[in-house]
Amino acid sequence: MHGLGVSGGIAIGHAHLVTLASLEVDHYSIPPEFVAREVKRFDRAVKSVRAELDALEGELKEQHDQHAGSGDIAAFVTIHRMLLDDPTLAEEPRAIIQRDHCNAEWAIKVQTDELLAQFAEVQDEYLRERKTDVRQVAERIVAALTGQGGAVPEKLRERAEDTILVAHDLSPADVILFKDHQVAAFITDLGGRTSHTAILARSLGIPAIVALHGSREIVREDELIIVDGTQGVVIVDPDETVLAEYRLRQEQWRLERQKLTRIKSAAAETLDGVAVELHANIELPSDIDAVRQCGATGVGLFRSEFLFLNRRDLPSEDEQFEAYRAVAQGLEGMPVVIRTLDIGADKTLDPNISNNAHSALGLRAIRYCLAEPQVFNAQLRAILRASKYGDVRILIPMLASAVEIRQTLAAIAIAKDQLRAEGRKFDPAIKVGGMIEVPAAAIALPMFLRQLDFLSIGTNDLIQYTLAIDRTDDTVAHLYDPLHPAVLHLVASVIEQANLANVPVAVCGEMAGDVSLTRLLLAFGLRDFSMHPANILPVKQRVLNTDTSACRRIAAELMRSGDSEEIRAKLAELNRA
Ligand code: PEP
Ligand code: MG
């Protein structure tokens, strides 16, 4: 099978089919003589989910006795247990099987859809929000029916290292859970190259392929599969010869990565003596180990929104402060750029926190923060308080207009005044930067240069918004092109203007970690790159082999071309030079 390889490397392991995102079930009829048996099958599934929830409840109770804080989850398991005992979920599907002679999975789906539709009309907000719980209980029953029993993390506890997850789709919130249960690889039917799901796969350092279409019809549970994330190829049930070939390639990949560790502590400097900063992108405080191991000189992008996913409430100011302080202290004087909450698009808040869609063109990132001043204030106070413990900087995502810059700076000033009045310490000269990821910002750059201390180009969104291509949509993934002349002109012009104005500028989108673009970005005048820890050493090696003056000439020719074939040919020439 061929898909989009979004994270390189080779994994060989056993498939585990997961259903996380939705109730996807088949519909088939049951001959009258087997209807009673189907009802029993349904009853067994309900019984096994009941046992699963009881076990979970027991486990959580034990944890609760040891640590505070797990009470919330326990309450939520109790709600699930109650829903499971309610006749609308435990009895009604039996009647549907008997009436329609359909399979049990379908009966539970029909009943759940009906229930969810009723919930939509409920006035009471608390009750309306129980929708998610109903869906999750129904998903558990379906999982038990299809023999998948249990949520993913439970399953992964047993045999994560050689497990390859096969899913229709995975949200960034699903993938972040794998940080604790490292899997060998994952493949999905949907998704785009710079979706956050793909970005997380790269940060986990595991091979991943998206946009496979129909993988779950081809791959069976537990089947042996090979995932070649570099080529975007999945091989199902390989024979011995193919297996041997891929084991060899896997070993070669490992050796190449190992060889690179030799340059870990070398300074990143080009052949003609240009010094370059190579910073790391992180999602959670626990990523700090990887930052230290790869020899990065700081964190250029801490995607703070990952602290807000997979939970039903907002992290408090103190909780955020602890997370930011841990990173600031862990970096021992190296800088950390904390990006304020970039919620929206594919990173969604629990409906308990916000029911709005926050689409890519909607109330996303800074727009959401300015609309929710209390949420923003708590985060700004937490970042400011952490600034006492290291070299902390603030980065604002998705800015597009002067008003937003002004309002953001005012919000920071208010947070500072509050802390001062309370006698709390922080860095009063903390640097505030803006992400350049909306074309309007790149085009009207002077207002950013005047009001902000530094810039960071988010090429993932800059490409999405310039080319009007949804990053997460596999049907337009072929049109998502970092080498489109419009994108290259915007990136080159932002770097050039910032350099002229003496305002520090970095690139923190995926372009920064793509070795094939390192020389081009150097030729544009970029001296600060931020990328996943896994990309730092390959990019450093390219920096060490580059003469920027030779690159500038070829890059200038490349920029004169409007033709994509010609641009690619020039880029190849640049990389051979
Ligand atoms: C970007 O848009 O390039 C970026 C770095 O931010 P994110 O990928 O988190 O949207
Ligand atoms: Mg972005």
Side-chain angles (χ1 to χ4, degrees), residues 194 196 199 281 301 303 305 339 342 347 364 435 437 457-462 471 508-510:
T194 61
H196 286 92
I199 289 175
N281 292 353
L301 174 68
R303 289 182 163 100
E305 56 278 6
R339 174 173 74 186
D342 179 12
K347 290 170 291 196
R364 178 187 167 182
M435 288 194 76
E437 39 187 4
I457 310 177
T459 50
N460 306 336
D461 279 312
L462 188 60
R471 286 163 72 171
C508 64
E510 295 301 292

Side-chain angles (χ1 to χ4, degrees), residues 442 457 459 462-463 482 485-496 505 507 511 521 524 526 559:
I457 310 177
T459 50
L462 188 60
I463 298 169
V487 173
L488 293 181
H489 280 280
L490 287 178
V491 172
S493 123
V494 170
I495 296 170
E496 191 187 349
V505 59
V507 169
M511 280 177 82
L521 291 170
F524 288 166
L526 186 72
M559 293 300 281

Side-chain angles (χ1 to χ4, degrees), residues 271-288:
L271 291 170
D272 52 333
V274 173
V276 176
E277 291 291 340
L278 299 180
H279 291 140
N281 292 353
I282 63 168
E283 282 88 32
L284 291 174
S286 52
D287 296 334
I288 285 296

